[in-house]
Amino acid sequence: QELSFIQVNNIFAKKDICLLHGVTSSGKTEIYIKLIEQEIKKGKQVLYLLPEIALTIQIIKRLKNHFGNLVGVSHSNLNNSERVEVWKSVQAGAKNKFSIILGARSSVFLPFNNLGLIVIDEEHDSSYKQQQPAPRYHARDSAIYLASLHNAKVLLGSATPSIETYYNAKNKKYGFVELLTRFSDIKLPKINAIDVKKGYLK
């Protein structure tokens, strides 16, 4: 994790986008937290994107344990007053209540004015695509464009990167860091291929 963290920082010195390809339970979130810490110390805002609200609930506890009340949450299940609170805090900048916004795809439309880093976890997930209703957009691609407007960095994290992201990383358009061992060298589960047809024949 320490080596991967250093590698990501070295890439960000040259490129604005980096793919962190890490197997499940390899400690990608710890690297995210260290990078977020750096941006908070600079007085910057951070956007942490997740594909689904269910995942947001799991990670918010982890981030709040580390960053406390600096973490704001944005997703479609918020009521109007909660949405207004998050909107105004983001608009006021990193020195206001929320410096870190953890949210689903619609979070890219918040009025950031001092954005330093966007973390896009599970970047391959199809939930980042808004199909219905309009506006139709891909939150990952929109976030990359948003970062370019703020001269911010983008970290794409995934154990199974999308084809287009992996292609861009391999062709050096994006930086590329691999984290191929699980935390504490925990073994990956064994996978058995089972022919379901044989089960029905019996």
Side-chain angles (χ1 to χ4, degrees):
Q1 290 174 4
E2 189 64 36
L3 178 60
S4 296
F5 172 66
I6 292 168
Q7 288 174 333
V8 170
N9 269 324
N10 288 340
I11 286 167
F12 278 158
K14 302 171 186 175
K15 296 179 183 288
D16 292 330
I17 306 168
C18 179
L19 168 63
L20 178 61
H21 179 205
V23 296
T24 309
S25 299
S26 58
K28 293 190 296 295
T29 307
E30 284 301 313
I31 295 172
Y32 301 158
I33 287 171
K34 287 182 179 180
L35 291 167
I36 291 168
E37 274 182 341
Q38 286 185 167
E39 296 304 315
I40 297 302
K41 286 176 182 175
K42 295 175 189 173
K44 295 283 190 177
Q45 295 170 306
V46 176
L47 173 59
Y48 189 132
L49 284 177
L50 284 163
E52 294 180 25
I53 297 168
L55 292 171
T56 307
I57 295 165
Q58 295 170 21
I59 292 202
I60 190 170
K61 289 183 180 177
R62 195 161 174 186
L63 288 184
K64 283 204 168 182
N65 283 339
H66 198 90
F67 296 105
N69 292 329
L70 292 176
V71 181
V73 182
S74 173
H75 53 70
S76 58
N77 282 2
L78 296 180
N79 60 43
N80 286 340
S81 61
E82 288 171 326
R83 291 184 188 191
V84 169
E85 182 187 11
V86 172
W87 181 279
K88 286 185 175 179
S89 182
V90 172
Q91 195 172 41
K95 291 181 180 179
N96 207 287
K97 187 175 179 182
F98 302 133
S99 299
I100 305 159
I101 294 295
L102 177 64
R105 60 186 178 228
S106 59
S107 302
V108 296
F109 297 114
L110 289 169
F112 294 97
N113 56 39
N114 192 23
L115 196 58
L117 173 69
I118 300 178
V119 175
I120 307 174
D121 202 9
E122 307 296 339
E123 66 82 27
H124 62 276
D125 201 295
S126 60
S127 296
Y128 281 124
K129 291 182 180 180
Q130 169 74 22
Q131 305 285 2
Q132 292 289 345
R136 296 169 183 85
Y137 63 97
H138 196 308
R140 181 197 62 209
D141 298 341
S142 301
I144 289 172
Y145 179 70
L146 174 66
S148 71
L149 297 178
H150 291 266
N151 293 317
K153 305 297 181 183
V154 178
L155 184 66
L156 304 162
S158 179
T160 53
S162 61
I163 293 171
E164 60 270 28
T165 297
Y166 196 74
Y167 177 84
N168 284 331
K170 280 295 186 181
N171 282 276
K172 298 182 179 179
K173 182 179 179 180
Y174 299 167
F176 186 41
V177 175
E178 287 186 295
L179 195 58
L180 300 178
T181 55
R182 300 181 94 190
F183 183 71
S184 297
D185 288 326
I186 298 168
K187 299 295 181 185
L188 286 164
K190 290 183 179 179
I191 298 172
N192 295 318
I194 299 171
D195 190 338
V196 181
K197 288 181 182 177
K198 288 182 180 179
Y200 281 114
L201 290 174
K202 291 179 181 178

